[in-house]
Amino acid sequence: MATSTATELPVAPDAPPRRRRAWSPWTPVALLALLAALVGICVPLAPVRTDDPAISWPRAGAPVENTLVPLVPYRPRVLTVDVPCTALQALDARGGGELLRTRDAAGAPSSPGLVIGVRAGRVRLTTGETVVFDGTLPNAQVGGSPCSFRLQADDSGVAIYAGGSRLVSDPDLLPPQIEKLQTDLAGTPAAQGLHVTIRPDARFSSSPSALKLALLALEVVLLVAMLATAWRRWPSRRHRVVTRPSRSRRLPWPRGRQPHPADYAVVLTSVAWMFLGPLNLDDGWYLEMALAGNRTGFIGNTVGQYSVGENPFVLQQYLMQLWTDLHPGPGWSLIWMRLLVALLGLGTYALLRRALRLLLGLAGERSTLSRAPWLLALAHLAWWLPYGLTLRPEPVIVLGSAATLVLAETARRHLSLGVLALAIAVAAVTTTASPSGLVAWAPVIVQVRWVGRCFVGASPRERVAAALVLLAAPTAAIPIAFADASLGTVAATHATQRAFYPDL
Protein backbone atom coordinates (compact mmCIF):
# COMPACT_ATOMS: atom_id res chain seq x y z
CA MET A 1 0.00 0.00 0.00
CA ALA A 2 1.49 3.23 -1.17
CA THR A 3 1.64 6.02 1.22
CA SER A 4 2.24 9.66 0.37
CA THR A 5 4.02 12.02 2.60
CA ALA A 6 3.47 15.79 2.43
CA THR A 7 6.56 17.82 2.03
CA GLU A 8 6.71 20.68 4.50
CA LEU A 9 8.01 23.89 3.06
CA PRO A 10 10.35 25.94 5.19
CA VAL A 11 8.65 28.88 6.76
CA ALA A 12 10.48 32.18 6.61
CA PRO A 13 10.84 33.90 9.90
CA ASP A 14 8.60 36.90 10.47
CA ALA A 15 10.18 40.04 9.09
CA PRO A 16 10.56 42.80 11.60
CA PRO A 17 7.74 45.34 11.21
CA ARG A 18 8.72 48.49 9.37
CA ARG A 19 8.96 51.33 11.77
CA ARG A 20 7.12 54.39 10.57
CA ARG A 21 9.21 57.47 10.96
CA ALA A 22 7.44 59.60 13.52
CA TRP A 23 7.20 63.31 13.02
CA SER A 24 9.31 65.43 15.23
CA PRO A 25 7.29 67.35 17.83
CA TRP A 26 8.71 70.48 16.20
CA THR A 27 7.39 69.66 12.73
CA PRO A 28 3.88 71.20 13.07
CA VAL A 29 5.10 74.56 14.34
CA ALA A 30 7.85 74.62 11.71
CA LEU A 31 5.37 73.93 8.91
CA LEU A 32 2.98 76.59 10.19
CA ALA A 33 5.80 79.13 10.35
CA LEU A 34 7.00 78.25 6.85
CA LEU A 35 3.49 78.51 5.39
CA ALA A 36 2.83 81.80 7.21
CA ALA A 37 6.02 83.27 5.77
CA LEU A 38 5.26 82.09 2.23
CA VAL A 39 1.67 83.34 2.29
CA GLY A 40 2.84 86.62 3.81
CA ILE A 41 5.19 87.12 0.86
CA CYS A 42 2.36 86.40 -1.59
CA VAL A 43 -0.06 88.96 -0.07
CA PRO A 44 1.71 92.12 -1.36
CA LEU A 45 2.06 90.47 -4.78
CA ALA A 46 -1.62 89.51 -5.04
CA PRO A 47 -3.71 91.58 -7.48
CA VAL A 48 -6.06 94.34 -6.36
CA ARG A 49 -9.10 95.83 -8.06
CA THR A 50 -8.52 99.42 -9.15
CA ASP A 51 -10.89 101.98 -10.59
CA ASP A 52 -10.41 103.51 -14.05
CA PRO A 53 -12.52 106.69 -13.98
CA ALA A 54 -12.58 109.21 -16.84
CA ILE A 55 -13.52 112.90 -16.82
CA SER A 56 -14.70 114.55 -20.03
CA TRP A 57 -14.87 118.36 -20.39
CA PRO A 58 -17.14 119.83 -21.51
CA ARG A 59 -19.98 117.37 -21.22
CA ALA A 60 -21.54 116.20 -24.45
CA GLY A 61 -23.79 118.90 -25.88
CA ALA A 62 -22.91 121.39 -23.11
CA PRO A 63 -21.09 124.71 -23.67
CA VAL A 64 -17.52 125.19 -22.45
CA GLU A 65 -17.63 126.53 -18.90
CA ASN A 66 -14.86 127.02 -16.36
CA THR A 67 -14.94 124.34 -13.70
CA LEU A 68 -13.00 123.06 -10.71
CA VAL A 69 -11.55 119.56 -10.93
CA PRO A 70 -10.41 118.47 -7.43
CA LEU A 71 -8.34 115.45 -8.43
CA VAL A 72 -6.94 113.12 -5.79
CA PRO A 73 -3.99 112.97 -6.50
CA TYR A 74 -3.64 116.26 -8.36
CA ARG A 75 -1.58 114.78 -11.19
CA PRO A 76 -3.68 112.60 -13.54
CA ARG A 77 -2.52 109.37 -15.04
CA VAL A 78 -3.47 110.40 -18.59
CA LEU A 79 -4.40 113.83 -19.98
CA THR A 80 -5.62 114.41 -23.54
CA VAL A 81 -6.38 117.92 -24.83
CA ASP A 82 -7.87 118.53 -28.28
CA VAL A 83 -7.33 122.13 -29.42
CA PRO A 84 -9.06 123.40 -32.60
CA CYS A 85 -7.10 126.01 -34.53
CA THR A 86 -10.31 128.05 -34.90
CA ALA A 87 -10.32 128.62 -31.14
CA LEU A 88 -6.70 129.74 -31.26
CA GLN A 89 -7.47 132.15 -34.13
CA ALA A 90 -10.49 133.55 -32.27
CA LEU A 91 -8.46 134.11 -29.11
CA ASP A 92 -5.68 135.81 -31.06
CA ALA A 93 -8.21 138.10 -32.74
CA ARG A 94 -9.32 139.25 -29.28
CA GLY A 95 -5.78 140.36 -28.45
CA GLY A 96 -4.56 137.06 -27.02
CA GLY A 97 -5.22 135.17 -23.83
CA GLU A 98 -5.24 131.69 -22.36
CA LEU A 99 -7.08 128.94 -24.15
CA LEU A 100 -6.60 126.55 -21.25
CA ARG A 101 -5.19 126.69 -17.71
CA THR A 102 -5.18 123.86 -15.17
CA ARG A 103 -3.59 125.54 -12.13
CA ASP A 104 -4.22 128.87 -10.39
CA ALA A 105 -2.07 131.68 -11.75
CA ALA A 106 -1.58 132.98 -8.19
CA GLY A 107 0.51 129.94 -7.30
CA ALA A 108 4.26 129.59 -7.47
CA PRO A 109 5.86 130.12 -10.91
CA SER A 110 7.09 126.55 -10.86
CA SER A 111 3.60 125.17 -10.28
CA PRO A 112 3.48 122.18 -12.64
CA GLY A 113 0.20 123.08 -14.34
CA LEU A 114 -0.64 123.29 -18.04
CA VAL A 115 -1.12 126.65 -19.79
CA ILE A 116 -1.96 127.06 -23.50
CA GLY A 117 -1.64 130.74 -24.39
CA VAL A 118 -1.96 132.79 -27.60
CA ARG A 119 -0.43 136.21 -28.18
CA ALA A 120 0.69 138.17 -31.27
CA GLY A 121 0.14 135.27 -33.63
CA ARG A 122 2.10 132.73 -31.61
CA VAL A 123 1.03 129.70 -29.59
CA ARG A 124 2.90 128.89 -26.40
CA LEU A 125 2.32 125.72 -24.37
CA THR A 126 3.98 125.33 -20.97
CA THR A 127 3.85 122.93 -18.04
CA GLY A 128 5.20 124.73 -15.02
CA GLU A 129 8.35 126.48 -16.19
CA THR A 130 8.98 124.08 -19.07
CA VAL A 131 8.07 125.35 -22.56
CA VAL A 132 6.82 122.37 -24.53
CA PHE A 133 5.89 124.26 -27.70
CA ASP A 134 6.31 127.83 -28.95
CA GLY A 135 5.44 128.43 -32.60
CA THR A 136 3.52 130.44 -35.16
CA LEU A 137 -0.25 130.26 -35.10
CA PRO A 138 -1.34 127.92 -37.93
CA ASN A 139 -4.16 128.51 -40.39
CA ALA A 140 -7.61 127.31 -39.53
CA GLN A 141 -7.58 125.05 -42.59
CA VAL A 142 -4.75 122.68 -43.45
CA GLY A 143 -5.11 120.77 -46.71
CA GLY A 144 -8.84 121.41 -46.85
CA SER A 145 -9.51 119.82 -43.42
CA PRO A 146 -9.96 121.59 -40.07
CA CYS A 147 -6.68 122.24 -38.27
CA SER A 148 -6.30 120.94 -34.72
CA PHE A 149 -3.69 120.08 -32.13
CA ARG A 150 -3.69 117.22 -29.64
CA LEU A 151 -1.68 117.14 -26.44
CA GLN A 152 -1.10 113.70 -24.96
CA ALA A 153 0.44 113.37 -21.49
CA ASP A 154 0.98 110.09 -19.67
CA ASP A 155 3.74 108.00 -18.10
CA SER A 156 5.69 108.08 -21.37
CA GLY A 157 5.96 111.88 -21.29
CA VAL A 158 4.24 114.82 -22.99
CA ALA A 159 3.76 114.97 -26.77
CA ILE A 160 1.96 117.27 -29.19
CA TYR A 161 0.41 116.00 -32.42
CA ALA A 162 -0.90 117.86 -35.46
CA GLY A 163 -2.62 116.15 -38.38
CA GLY A 164 -1.64 112.74 -37.04
CA SER A 165 2.10 113.52 -36.93
CA ARG A 166 4.08 114.25 -33.80
CA LEU A 167 5.44 117.78 -33.57
CA VAL A 168 7.34 117.65 -30.29
CA SER A 169 7.73 115.29 -27.36
CA ASP A 170 9.45 115.32 -24.00
CA PRO A 171 9.71 111.89 -22.34
CA ASP A 172 10.99 113.43 -19.08
CA LEU A 173 7.85 115.49 -18.39
CA LEU A 174 5.13 114.13 -16.15
CA PRO A 175 1.46 114.92 -16.80
CA PRO A 176 0.65 118.44 -15.54
CA GLN A 177 -1.27 118.88 -12.31
CA ILE A 178 -4.94 119.79 -12.53
CA GLU A 179 -7.08 121.68 -10.07
CA LYS A 180 -9.39 123.37 -12.57
CA LEU A 181 -10.16 123.73 -16.27
CA GLN A 182 -10.30 127.40 -17.22
CA THR A 183 -10.42 129.18 -20.60
CA ASP A 184 -10.82 132.79 -21.68
CA LEU A 185 -13.35 131.59 -24.29
CA ALA A 186 -15.76 130.19 -21.71
CA GLY A 187 -19.38 130.51 -22.78
CA THR A 188 -18.56 131.59 -26.37
CA PRO A 189 -19.16 129.67 -29.61
CA ALA A 190 -15.48 130.11 -30.47
CA ALA A 191 -14.59 127.48 -27.86
CA GLN A 192 -16.47 124.81 -29.76
CA GLY A 193 -14.19 121.85 -30.40
CA LEU A 194 -12.03 122.39 -27.31
CA HIS A 195 -12.14 119.10 -25.44
CA VAL A 196 -10.25 117.63 -22.46
CA THR A 197 -10.22 114.01 -21.31
CA ILE A 198 -8.73 113.21 -17.90
CA ARG A 199 -8.03 109.78 -16.48
CA PRO A 200 -7.23 110.34 -12.79
CA ASP A 201 -4.49 108.42 -11.06
CA ALA A 202 -6.72 105.95 -9.23
CA ARG A 203 -4.09 103.31 -8.50
CA PHE A 204 -4.29 104.03 -4.76
CA SER A 205 -8.09 103.71 -4.75
CA SER A 206 -8.07 99.94 -4.77
CA SER A 207 -9.82 97.06 -3.09
CA PRO A 208 -8.55 93.53 -2.53
CA SER A 209 -9.38 90.92 -5.14
CA ALA A 210 -10.91 87.57 -4.23
CA LEU A 211 -7.46 85.98 -4.32
CA LYS A 212 -6.02 88.66 -2.04
CA LEU A 213 -8.90 88.29 0.42
CA ALA A 214 -8.32 84.53 0.54
CA LEU A 215 -4.60 85.02 1.13
CA LEU A 216 -5.25 87.60 3.85
CA ALA A 217 -7.65 85.26 5.66
CA LEU A 218 -5.21 82.35 5.30
CA GLU A 219 -2.34 84.49 6.60
CA VAL A 220 -4.29 85.48 9.71
CA VAL A 221 -5.29 81.86 10.40
CA LEU A 222 -1.73 80.62 9.94
CA LEU A 223 -0.30 83.32 12.18
CA VAL A 224 -2.77 82.62 14.98
CA ALA A 225 -2.19 78.87 14.71
CA MET A 226 1.59 79.32 14.62
CA LEU A 227 1.70 81.63 17.63
CA ALA A 228 -0.67 79.42 19.64
CA THR A 229 1.32 76.29 18.78
CA ALA A 230 4.61 78.02 19.58
CA TRP A 231 3.21 79.20 22.92
CA ARG A 232 2.36 75.59 23.82
CA ARG A 233 5.48 74.04 22.30
CA TRP A 234 7.86 76.14 24.41
CA PRO A 235 6.42 75.69 27.91
CA SER A 236 6.92 78.13 30.71
CA ARG A 237 10.18 77.64 32.54
CA ARG A 238 11.37 79.82 35.37
CA HIS A 239 14.76 81.42 34.98
CA ARG A 240 17.16 80.24 37.67
CA VAL A 241 17.92 83.73 38.92
CA VAL A 242 14.27 84.74 39.13
CA THR A 243 12.49 83.73 42.33
CA ARG A 244 9.04 84.35 43.61
CA PRO A 245 8.59 87.21 46.07
CA SER A 246 8.44 86.22 49.69
CA ARG A 247 4.88 85.95 50.96
CA SER A 248 5.89 87.28 54.33
CA ARG A 249 6.70 90.72 52.94
CA ARG A 250 4.27 93.11 51.32
CA LEU A 251 4.87 94.32 47.77
CA PRO A 252 4.77 98.09 47.17
CA TRP A 253 1.43 97.62 45.37
CA PRO A 254 -1.40 95.26 46.29
CA ARG A 255 -1.46 91.78 44.81
CA GLY A 256 -3.96 90.80 42.15
CA ARG A 257 -5.94 93.46 40.38
CA GLN A 258 -6.73 95.63 43.35
CA PRO A 259 -6.29 99.26 42.23
CA HIS A 260 -3.61 101.46 43.73
CA PRO A 261 -4.33 105.12 44.60
CA ALA A 262 -1.96 106.10 41.79
CA ASP A 263 -4.27 104.30 39.36
CA TYR A 264 -7.21 106.48 40.37
CA ALA A 265 -5.09 109.57 39.87
CA VAL A 266 -4.13 108.52 36.34
CA VAL A 267 -7.71 107.64 35.37
CA LEU A 268 -9.23 110.85 36.73
CA THR A 269 -6.53 113.01 35.17
CA SER A 270 -6.90 111.29 31.80
CA VAL A 271 -10.67 111.74 31.76
CA ALA A 272 -10.42 115.39 32.74
CA TRP A 273 -7.73 116.02 30.11
CA MET A 274 -10.11 114.81 27.40
CA PHE A 275 -12.05 118.05 27.96
CA LEU A 276 -9.24 120.37 29.04
CA GLY A 277 -6.33 119.31 26.87
CA PRO A 278 -5.32 121.43 23.85
CA LEU A 279 -5.51 120.30 20.24
CA ASN A 280 -2.43 119.13 18.40
CA LEU A 281 -1.47 120.81 15.14
CA ASP A 282 -1.73 117.51 13.22
CA ASP A 283 -5.00 116.26 14.74
CA GLY A 284 -7.07 117.56 11.85
CA TRP A 285 -4.61 116.15 9.34
CA TYR A 286 -4.80 112.56 10.58
CA LEU A 287 -8.54 112.73 11.21
CA GLU A 288 -9.13 114.01 7.67
CA MET A 289 -7.05 111.17 6.24
CA ALA A 290 -9.14 108.64 8.15
CA LEU A 291 -12.49 110.20 7.23
CA ALA A 292 -11.49 110.70 3.58
CA GLY A 293 -10.59 107.02 3.42
CA ASN A 294 -14.26 106.15 3.87
CA ARG A 295 -15.03 108.18 0.72
CA THR A 296 -12.06 107.42 -1.51
CA GLY A 297 -11.46 103.81 -0.52
CA PHE A 298 -7.84 104.32 0.57
CA ILE A 299 -5.84 106.15 3.22
CA GLY A 300 -4.20 109.03 1.37
CA ASN A 301 -2.27 112.11 2.36
CA THR A 302 -5.03 114.62 1.67
CA VAL A 303 -2.89 117.51 2.93
CA GLY A 304 0.15 117.17 0.69
CA GLN A 305 2.33 114.90 -1.42
CA TYR A 306 -0.32 114.75 -4.16
CA SER A 307 -2.55 112.70 -1.84
CA VAL A 308 -0.59 109.51 -2.40
CA GLY A 309 -1.46 106.46 -0.33
CA GLU A 310 -0.11 106.18 3.21
CA ASN A 311 0.50 102.42 3.13
CA PRO A 312 2.12 100.71 4.91
CA PHE A 313 1.71 103.21 7.80
CA VAL A 314 -2.07 103.15 8.18
CA LEU A 315 -2.78 101.48 11.54
CA GLN A 316 -3.83 104.68 13.34
CA GLN A 317 -6.19 105.73 10.53
CA TYR A 318 -7.78 102.29 10.44
CA LEU A 319 -8.41 102.45 14.18
CA MET A 320 -10.07 105.87 13.82
CA GLN A 321 -12.24 104.59 10.97
CA LEU A 322 -13.44 101.68 13.11
CA TRP A 323 -14.01 104.00 16.06
CA THR A 324 -16.11 106.44 14.04
CA ASP A 325 -18.28 103.52 12.92
CA LEU A 326 -19.03 102.87 16.61
CA HIS A 327 -20.14 106.47 17.21
CA PRO A 328 -23.65 106.40 18.76
CA GLY A 329 -24.84 109.21 16.49
CA PRO A 330 -24.25 110.13 12.87
CA GLY A 331 -20.77 111.25 11.86
CA TRP A 332 -18.21 111.83 14.57
CA SER A 333 -17.38 114.19 17.43
CA LEU A 334 -14.10 115.44 18.86
CA ILE A 335 -14.86 114.09 22.34
CA TRP A 336 -15.61 110.67 20.82
CA MET A 337 -12.27 110.64 19.02
CA ARG A 338 -10.46 111.78 22.16
CA LEU A 339 -12.11 108.97 24.09
CA LEU A 340 -10.31 106.52 21.79
CA VAL A 341 -6.97 108.17 22.55
CA ALA A 342 -7.74 108.21 26.30
CA LEU A 343 -8.40 104.47 26.20
CA LEU A 344 -5.10 103.96 24.40
CA GLY A 345 -3.35 105.97 27.11
CA LEU A 346 -4.96 104.05 29.95
CA GLY A 347 -4.11 100.77 28.25
CA THR A 348 -0.50 101.93 28.02
CA TYR A 349 -0.43 102.77 31.72
CA ALA A 350 -1.84 99.35 32.65
CA LEU A 351 0.82 97.62 30.57
CA LEU A 352 3.57 99.76 32.08
CA ARG A 353 2.34 98.83 35.56
CA ARG A 354 2.77 95.17 34.62
CA ALA A 355 6.16 95.84 32.99
CA LEU A 356 7.43 97.67 36.07
CA ARG A 357 6.61 94.75 38.29
CA LEU A 358 8.27 92.32 35.89
CA LEU A 359 11.41 94.42 35.69
CA LEU A 360 11.74 95.19 39.40
CA GLY A 361 11.09 91.71 40.74
CA LEU A 362 12.24 91.40 44.33
CA ALA A 363 13.86 94.81 44.13
CA GLY A 364 10.38 96.27 44.28
CA GLU A 365 10.20 95.30 47.94
CA ARG A 366 12.98 97.65 48.91
CA SER A 367 11.89 100.64 50.89
CA THR A 368 13.67 102.98 48.46
CA LEU A 369 11.27 101.84 45.71
CA SER A 370 8.10 101.64 47.77
CA ARG A 371 6.68 104.61 45.90
CA ALA A 372 7.23 103.04 42.49
CA PRO A 373 3.53 103.16 41.47
CA TRP A 374 3.42 106.90 42.14
CA LEU A 375 6.63 107.44 40.21
CA LEU A 376 5.22 105.48 37.28
CA ALA A 377 2.00 107.49 37.36
CA LEU A 378 3.98 110.72 37.40
CA ALA A 379 6.17 109.61 34.48
CA HIS A 380 3.13 108.51 32.47
CA LEU A 381 1.27 111.78 33.02
CA ALA A 382 4.41 113.79 32.24
CA TRP A 383 4.18 112.29 28.73
CA TRP A 384 0.41 112.13 28.46
CA LEU A 385 -0.48 115.71 29.36
CA PRO A 386 1.68 117.55 26.79
CA TYR A 387 2.04 114.89 24.06
CA GLY A 388 -0.31 111.93 24.59
CA LEU A 389 -3.74 113.38 23.78
CA THR A 390 -3.34 113.50 20.03
CA LEU A 391 -4.80 111.82 16.96
CA ARG A 392 -1.29 111.34 15.64
CA PRO A 393 0.12 107.76 15.69
CA GLU A 394 2.19 108.23 18.87
CA PRO A 395 -0.45 106.88 21.33
CA VAL A 396 -0.74 103.69 19.26
CA ILE A 397 3.05 103.38 19.07
CA VAL A 398 3.47 103.80 22.82
CA LEU A 399 0.72 101.24 23.50
CA GLY A 400 2.32 98.71 21.15
CA SER A 401 5.76 99.35 22.59
CA ALA A 402 4.48 98.79 26.13
CA ALA A 403 2.77 95.55 25.07
CA THR A 404 5.99 94.39 23.39
CA LEU A 405 7.95 95.22 26.53
CA VAL A 406 5.62 93.16 28.74
CA LEU A 407 5.67 90.18 26.38
CA ALA A 408 9.44 90.30 25.82
CA GLU A 409 10.16 90.50 29.55
CA THR A 410 7.67 87.68 30.22
CA ALA A 411 9.45 85.59 27.58
CA ARG A 412 12.79 86.23 29.29
CA ARG A 413 11.54 85.32 32.74
CA HIS A 414 9.98 82.08 31.45
CA LEU A 415 12.57 81.33 28.73
CA SER A 416 9.69 80.96 26.26
CA LEU A 417 10.40 81.49 22.56
CA GLY A 418 6.66 81.23 21.93
CA VAL A 419 5.97 84.34 24.02
CA LEU A 420 8.88 86.09 22.32
CA ALA A 421 7.35 85.31 18.92
CA LEU A 422 4.15 87.03 20.04
CA ALA A 423 6.22 90.03 21.17
CA ILE A 424 7.80 90.19 17.71
CA ALA A 425 4.37 90.06 16.07
CA VAL A 426 3.14 92.95 18.24
CA ALA A 427 6.25 94.99 17.42
CA ALA A 428 5.71 94.39 13.71
CA VAL A 429 2.08 95.50 13.90
CA THR A 430 3.11 98.61 15.86
CA THR A 431 5.50 99.57 13.06
CA THR A 432 2.53 99.93 10.67
CA ALA A 433 1.42 103.03 12.60
CA SER A 434 4.40 105.17 11.62
CA PRO A 435 8.12 104.79 10.82
CA SER A 436 8.82 105.90 14.40
CA GLY A 437 7.05 102.69 15.46
CA LEU A 438 10.42 100.99 15.01
CA VAL A 439 11.00 101.91 18.66
CA ALA A 440 8.73 98.98 19.57
CA TRP A 441 11.49 96.60 18.49
CA ALA A 442 13.84 97.80 21.25
CA PRO A 443 12.46 95.42 23.95
CA VAL A 444 12.88 92.52 21.50
CA ILE A 445 16.44 93.32 20.50
CA VAL A 446 17.71 93.23 24.09
CA GLN A 447 16.51 89.60 24.40
CA VAL A 448 19.14 88.34 21.95
CA ARG A 449 21.45 87.14 24.71
CA TRP A 450 19.18 84.57 26.33
CA VAL A 451 17.69 83.57 22.96
CA GLY A 452 21.19 82.68 21.82
CA ARG A 453 21.66 80.46 24.87
CA CYS A 454 18.36 78.70 24.08
CA PHE A 455 19.55 77.99 20.55
CA VAL A 456 22.86 76.59 21.78
CA GLY A 457 21.16 74.12 24.11
CA ALA A 458 18.47 73.01 21.66
CA SER A 459 18.38 70.12 19.21
CA PRO A 460 18.90 70.82 15.50
CA ARG A 461 15.18 70.34 14.75
CA GLU A 462 14.18 72.67 17.56
CA ARG A 463 16.61 75.28 16.28
CA VAL A 464 15.09 75.14 12.79
CA ALA A 465 11.56 75.39 14.17
CA ALA A 466 12.46 78.28 16.45
CA ALA A 467 14.23 80.17 13.67
CA LEU A 468 11.24 79.75 11.33
CA VAL A 469 8.82 80.95 14.01
CA LEU A 470 10.87 84.02 14.88
CA LEU A 471 11.30 84.89 11.19
CA ALA A 472 7.62 84.38 10.36
CA ALA A 473 6.28 86.39 13.31
CA PRO A 474 6.94 89.82 11.67
CA THR A 475 4.56 88.91 8.85
CA ALA A 476 1.80 89.89 11.29
CA ALA A 477 2.23 93.41 9.88
CA ILE A 478 1.39 92.35 6.31
CA PRO A 479 -2.43 92.05 6.67
CA ILE A 480 -2.50 95.69 7.84
CA ALA A 481 0.15 97.18 5.58
CA PHE A 482 -1.10 95.48 2.39
CA ALA A 483 -4.77 94.88 3.15
CA ASP A 484 -5.95 96.88 0.12
CA ALA A 485 -2.65 97.94 -1.43
CA SER A 486 -0.21 96.24 -3.75
CA LEU A 487 3.56 96.25 -3.61
CA GLY A 488 3.61 98.59 -6.61
CA THR A 489 1.46 101.28 -4.98
CA VAL A 490 3.52 101.15 -1.78
CA ALA A 491 6.69 101.59 -3.85
CA ALA A 492 5.08 104.56 -5.65
CA THR A 493 4.18 106.11 -2.29
CA HIS A 494 7.75 105.72 -1.07
CA ALA A 495 9.13 107.31 -4.24
CA THR A 496 6.81 110.32 -3.90
CA GLN A 497 7.64 110.82 -0.23
CA ARG A 498 11.34 110.55 -0.98
CA ALA A 499 10.96 113.29 -3.61
CA PHE A 500 9.13 115.53 -1.11
CA TYR A 501 11.47 114.92 1.82
CA PRO A 502 14.90 113.95 0.43
CA ASP A 503 16.57 114.91 3.70
CA LEU A 504 14.48 112.36 5.60
Side-chain angles (χ1 to χ4, degrees):
M1 184 174 181
T3 60
S4 62
T5 60
T7 303
E8 295 183 357
L9 299 176
V11 179
D14 293 338
R18 296 182 61 184
R19 298 180 60 185
R20 297 186 62 182
R21 189 174 181 178
W23 274 22
S24 166
W26 305 106
T27 301
V29 67
L31 288 177
L32 288 172
L34 184 61
L35 289 175
L38 293 176
V39 174
I41 294 174
C42 293
V43 168
L45 304 177
V48 294
R49 294 191 297 264
T50 57
D51 300 331
D52 187 20
I55 300 173
S56 183
W57 178 82
R59 291 177 296 180
V64 176
E65 298 290 347
N66 296 334
T67 182
L68 295 176
V69 186
L71 294 185
V72 180
Y74 317 129
R75 192 187 303 279
R77 182 172 57 87
V78 179
L79 172 65
T80 304
V81 181
D82 291 312
V83 180
C85 294
T86 54
L88 296 173
Q89 294 283 0
L91 191 59
D92 185 58
R94 297 174 52 178
E98 295 178 346
L99 183 66
L100 182 64
R101 172 178 285 276
T102 65
R103 288 296 301 268
D104 193 350
S110 60
S111 177
L114 172 66
V115 178
I116 302 177
V118 179
R119 188 170 301 276
R122 297 186 66 85
V123 181
R124 182 182 176 90
L125 188 150
T126 61
T127 59
E129 294 182 332
T130 302
V131 178
V132 181
F133 178 79
D134 189 354
T136 305
L137 185 66
N139 295 323
Q141 295 287 331
V142 177
S145 59
C147 166
S148 64
F149 287 94
R150 165 167 284 193
L151 178 139
Q152 183 78 23
D154 51 31
D155 292 337
S156 61
V158 177
I160 300 177
Y161 300 86
S165 61
R166 185 167 58 185
L167 294 180
V168 294
S169 65
D170 190 337
D172 297 327
L173 279 181
L174 295 174
Q177 295 183 21
I178 298 176
E179 66 180 19
K180 64 180 178 179
L181 296 172
Q182 176 180 300
T183 175
D184 291 342
L185 297 179
T188 64
Q192 185 176 2
L194 177 62
H195 189 267
V196 177
T197 301
I198 303 171
R199 291 194 175 276
D201 187 355
R203 55 185 163 174
F204 300 106
S205 181
S206 59
S207 58
S209 61
L211 175 61
K212 193 177 185 72
L213 286 174
L215 289 175
L216 286 169
L218 181 60
E219 174 69 2
V220 172
V221 171
L222 288 173
L223 282 171
V224 172
M226 180 198 74
L227 294 174
T229 305
W231 190 299
R232 297 183 60 185
R233 180 52 57 193
W234 282 279
S236 171
R237 294 177 294 178
R238 283 282 179 180
H239 200 290
R240 287 182 303 173
V241 301
V242 177
T243 58
R244 294 182 179 274
S246 173
R247 293 186 178 182
S248 62
R249 304 184 65 181
R250 186 173 179 272
L251 289 173
W253 47 73
R255 294 180 181 274
R257 297 185 178 181
Q258 183 179 354
H260 187 273
D263 301 337
Y264 293 112
V266 170
V267 172
L268 293 177
T269 304
S270 300
V271 172
W273 203 241
M274 287 173 50
F275 301 91
L276 302 177
L279 290 173
N280 186 282
L281 177 63
D282 292 335
D283 285 353
W285 178 7
Y286 281 89
L287 180 60
E288 172 59 25
M289 283 194 288
L291 298 178
N294 291 326
R295 302 189 299 267
T296 62
F298 73 101
I299 302 298
N301 191 332
T302 58
V303 178
Q305 302 178 27
Y306 307 131
S307 195
V308 298
E310 285 288 295
N311 295 77
F313 306 112
V314 291
L315 177 60
Q316 168 73 354
Q317 291 88 331
Y318 283 162
L319 287 177
M320 286 194 289
Q321 284 183 337
L322 294 174
W323 189 250
T324 54
D325 292 339
L326 299 176
H327 190 267
W332 60 277
S333 66
L334 180 59
I335 292 300
W336 182 253
M337 302 310 298
R338 286 190 157 200
L339 176 60
L340 169 63
V341 184
L343 293 176
L344 296 176
L346 291 175
T348 300
Y349 174 73
L351 289 170
L352 292 178
R353 276 286 308 271
R354 174 60 180 167
L356 188 62
R357 184 172 184 180
L358 286 171
L359 293 171
L360 288 180
L362 288 177
E365 297 182 7
R366 299 173 183 172
S367 59
T368 56
L369 295 177
S370 60
R371 300 183 183 274
W374 284 108
L375 293 175
L376 175 61
L378 179 62
H380 174 76
L381 293 177
W383 159 75
W384 170 255
L385 295 180
Y387 302 115
L389 188 62
T390 175
L391 299 182
R392 285 179 52 86
E394 281 74 14
V396 176
I397 294 173
V398 176
L399 176 68
S401 301
T404 305
L405 175 62
V406 170
L407 290 170
E409 182 61 18
T410 302
R412 184 192 67 82
R413 288 171 62 91
H414 296 271
L415 298 179
S416 174
L417 293 178
V419 180
L420 182 63
L422 182 57
I424 293 175
V426 173
V429 170
T430 304
T431 310
T432 63
S434 174
S436 55
L438 288 171
V439 70
W441 288 88
V444 174
I445 294 174
V446 298
Q447 311 298 327
V448 171
R449 195 171 179 181
W450 70 264
V451 173
R453 291 198 298 267
C454 289
F455 270 79
V456 171
S459 64
R461 292 183 179 181
E462 184 179 0
R463 293 176 190 171
V464 172
L468 289 174
V469 168
L470 297 182
L471 291 176
T475 61
I478 290 179
I480 298 175
F482 295 94
D484 59 351
S486 65
L487 184 61
T489 56
V490 172
T493 294
H494 177 66
T496 303
Q497 292 173 340
R498 186 172 63 248
F500 263 79
Y501 303 111
D503 55 332
L504 298 181

